[in-house]
Amino acid sequence: MGPTRNRSTGHSRWIAALGWLLATGLVYAENWPLWRGPRGDGTSLETNLPVHWSATSNVAWKVELPGSGHASPIVWGDRVFTVTALPDTEERVLLCFERATGRQLWQRAVVKSPFERKHALNSHASSTPATDGEQVFTAFLDVRDVVVSAHDFDGRPRWQVRPGTFSSMHGFCSSPVIFEDRVIVNCDHDGDGYIVALARRDGRELWRIDRPNKTRSYCVPTIFEAGGRTQMVLSGTMCVASYDPRTGRQHWIIDGPTEQFVASIVFSRPANLFFMTGGYPEHHLLAIRPDGEGNVTRSHIVWRHNRASYVSYVPSPVAEGDYFLVLSDPGYACCFEAATGRLVWQEKLGEQHASLVSAAGLVYFLSDEGVTTVVRPGPKFESVARNEIGEKCFASPALSQGQIFLRGDKHLWCVGAGR
């Protein structure tokens, strides 16, 4: 399709989504267009999301998913998307569902190749897709080649590129990030790691960052307005770094503090601090001032913790109000004063790989066993609800338009009636 038709199609999609929102009274609701939502930090601005549910109550629908995968669902208007891997055909596919009913609208094969070696807790479809309301962007591995693709909302392929190789004994996971006119994909791996920005329209490469240290990590970059500028921040490959997402130019870097990372970085506006949690083999929790230039290893770390019971390797944390919350590897929910790093409380909730999400002053912890504990951050531990669906969950929740979308081992769940 030519550029004029692309713009027309995108405008029509936007108008249709707006019309649907108006018709259902959801004008102030949010889409959940990519990994960890519209801000990439797990936060929702909605105020009426479900707090109580079970496998049989307050569930709008659930639908069986083919294959397997740990990618989160994403939501735009009346569509829900996710990806999965089909072992019988060795296909990685993009799935589209009707948001109101859960009915599958279409399924498209994106990559067909032998399954890569992976960690037992990883999957062959772990990268959450992203959408700009016109196209859906996915990232998979084809043996050693990273494959980034774009499909329209009817499942038609728009473009596909192979920006480089990827090697890791633990498998592949790199969720695309959308910023302005580009799709950004991080490929830290056991080789010449890189981050690449591709044009949303045609997949053309716009910039490339050569990453140091040649060490596997799986962090999705997060983009914030902080320190008076736009910063794309991530940990990985033995460093923590900030870049300009428009050009790829580095703002600042911190050496270490350990070898490998998975969790994304979040930002607290009240505290004016970035928070990093990771990793392996050492455990670190860092609060970082956002106004640095060059190497700030000795100058911009405001507070630090090294206790394993405080630190998360896989699930990303969340900053909520004056607090910063983490689910540590041993399964402890930890609540810190964001500005000082003082531990306010710690409570055993169980092992969790899903990242934390928050809305209306509440934080949702989703355990591997499919139990969601809803907590109100504050000076003491306050559990508002404990909800079980009876199905294992490794994917992070999506919050949109008064509903919560959970991806279990076998099913996609829509919780709540919406607005």
Side-chain angles (χ1 to χ4, degrees):
M1 292 183 180
T4 301
R5 190 172 177 187
N6 280 346
R7 286 195 295 269
S8 175
T9 301
H11 183 69
S12 298
R13 289 288 183 194
W14 185 86
I15 291 295
L18 178 60
W20 184 84
L21 292 174
L22 288 168
T24 53
L26 300 175
V27 178
Y28 299 106
E30 289 189 300
N31 291 310
W32 195 267
L34 69 162
W35 163 248
R36 304 207 76 206
R39 285 158 293 281
D41 61 358
T43 64
S44 171
L45 300 181
E46 299 196 21
T47 58
N48 72 329
L49 286 159
V51 175
H52 301 278
W53 67 87
S54 72
T56 57
S57 65
N58 203 18
V59 174
W61 50 259
K62 76 171 184 177
V63 60
E64 188 172 356
L65 293 171
S68 62
H70 295 164
S72 297
I74 60 171
V75 187
W76 187 282
D78 62 352
R79 302 291 181 94
V80 182
F81 303 93
T82 193
V83 295
T84 193
L86 306 178
D88 292 342
T89 61
E90 295 186 323
E91 290 177 316
R92 284 63 150 191
V93 301
L94 174 63
L95 304 168
C96 177
F97 300 90
E98 184 176 62
R99 185 187 177 281
T101 65
R103 179 173 65 93
Q104 184 173 312
L105 299 177
W106 48 260
Q107 174 179 309
R108 297 291 181 268
V110 181
V111 169
K112 179 179 173 61
S113 71
F115 282 179
E116 65 270 15
R117 179 183 177 186
K118 67 174 184 65
H119 191 281
L121 296 177
N122 196 1
S123 80
H124 294 110
S126 291
S127 303
T128 297
T131 183
D132 59 3
E134 300 177 34
Q135 301 182 103
V136 185
F137 307 97
T138 58
F140 293 106
L141 193 65
D142 180 357
V143 186
R144 287 183 56 86
D145 291 339
V146 175
V147 180
V148 184
S149 308
H151 289 73
D152 68 17
F153 270 37
D154 294 318
R156 292 186 295 256
R158 288 286 185 85
W159 54 258
Q160 186 174 90
V161 298
R162 296 171 180 253
T165 61
F166 186 95
S167 176
S168 170
M169 63 185 294
H170 292 159
F172 179 74
C173 180
S174 184
S175 301
V177 174
I178 297 173
F179 176 75
E180 295 180 349
D181 63 345
R182 61 211 67 191
V183 179
I184 300 171
V185 181
N186 173 37
C187 296
D188 286 337
H189 69 106
D190 294 330
D192 294 326
Y194 54 96
I195 306 173
V196 64
L198 307 170
R200 280 165 42 191
R201 181 184 168 207
D202 56 15
R204 175 174 47 91
E205 186 170 313
L206 301 176
W207 54 250
R208 176 179 293 257
I209 298 168
D210 294 326
R211 295 278 280 163
N213 302 322
K214 303 179 188 292
T215 303
R216 76 183 81 100
S217 286
Y218 297 92
C219 299
V220 180
T222 44
I223 300 172
F224 303 100
E225 294 296 323
R229 59 200 165 176
T230 307
Q231 301 194 47
M232 180 182 73
V233 291
L234 74 160
S235 51
T237 192
M238 301 174 67
C239 66
V240 186
S242 166
Y243 302 93
D244 183 340
R246 295 183 176 92
T247 65
R249 185 186 72 85
Q250 182 179 290
H251 293 307
W252 52 261
I253 191 167
I254 291 173
D255 300 328
T258 189
E259 181 181 318
Q260 297 171 33
F261 305 84
V262 177
S264 291
I265 288 175
V266 298
F267 179 67
S268 167
R269 285 173 180 80
N272 194 35
L273 293 171
F274 288 121
F275 298 111
M276 183 228 80
T277 179
Y280 179 83
E282 298 170 347
H283 305 280
H284 293 270
L285 198 63
L286 303 183
I288 304 164
R289 291 208 323 268
D291 58 348
E293 289 286 346
N295 193 307
V296 298
T297 305
R298 298 183 180 276
S299 59
H300 277 64
I301 298 174
V302 176
W303 56 259
R304 178 196 305 257
H305 289 297
N306 301 101
R307 293 182 60 174
S309 61
Y310 291 1
V311 176
S312 162
Y313 177 36
V314 175
S316 297
V318 74
E320 179 63 35
D322 294 327
Y323 300 98
F324 169 64
L325 292 95
V326 175
L327 195 288
S328 69
D329 290 349
Y332 290 97
C334 302
C335 181
F336 301 90
E337 285 185 349
T340 67
R342 183 178 71 88
L343 179 67
V344 178
W345 52 257
Q346 185 179 54
E347 187 77 14
K348 183 79 168 182
L349 293 184
E351 190 171 6
Q352 174 174 331
H353 287 81
S355 293
L356 280 59
V357 294
S358 69
L362 300 176
V363 176
Y364 294 70
F365 294 81
L366 173 59
S367 78
D368 293 352
E369 299 303 316
V371 178
T372 303
T373 305
V374 185
V375 172
R376 190 185 312 278
K380 62 180 181 179
F381 176 73
E382 181 184 351
S383 176
V384 176
R386 187 177 186 274
N387 309 302
E388 299 185 46
I389 62 171
E391 182 173 347
K392 288 185 176 296
C393 294
F394 277 62
S396 302
L399 316 179
S400 179
Q401 302 161 18
Q403 296 177 314
I404 299 176
F405 296 84
L406 304 174
R407 195 247 178 88
D409 269 358
K410 301 297 182 183
H411 298 90
L412 179 63
W413 300 69
C414 176
V415 175
R419 297 190 180 187

